[in-house]
Amino acid sequence: MRDKLLNILFEKSFRYDPDKGFLLSSGAKSDMYVDAKKTVLSAEGMVLTGKLLFERVKNDSIDGIGGLTLGADPLAYATALVSNMEGKPLNVFIVRKEPKTHGTEQWIEGPLKPGARVVVVDDVVTTGASTIKAVEKAVAAGFKVVKALVLLDREEGGRQNVEKHCAFESLFTRKDLLELHAKKLAGK
């Protein structure tokens, strides 16, 4: 299952250009670009993502899963669906990029209450800024963040930054994609 999702991530989301590179949302330039939404919003990618993320949290004592919209949304939804099908239902929470401008003016959407134990998810971590924002807003809402769980760690310092706030795990790393890239080049 993991290898299948890695191949889908490689085929649908991974781009590599060591000469020209890519500008990232952090403002940094990189030889690699990964648009994980192309994977996690595909039917097969979403199912595999949900199953693999659930495998990583099913033994944790948690009430919910979520993170900063938009990167975390499909990961959280897929995991929650699988969790319910497996008889261990998790609720989803969404951290807004800006607080609601009316009503309760809240940062977080979802059914969880203060005291809930949660896992923060994200699609791709470079510096960790989005993941950290989600962790901080979850803590401010009274949640206990058990860990951050991401689809891809670009291995550019994000892990270390997030670990200052909570435990960190990733399904895949930059190294995984570059090794697959090298294998595919060698196979041509």
Side-chain angles (χ1 to χ4, degrees), residues 8 81-82 87 89 92-93 115 123 136 143 147 151-152 165 176:
I8 294 170
L81 179 63
V82 170
V92 172
F93 69 96
D123 56 359
E136 290 173 343
F143 300 165
K147 66 183 168 188
L151 183 65
L152 177 70
H165 301 268
D176 294 325

Side-chain angles (χ1 to χ4, degrees), residues 58 68 150 155:
K58 72 179 182 183
L68 189 66
V150 302
E155 298 179 306

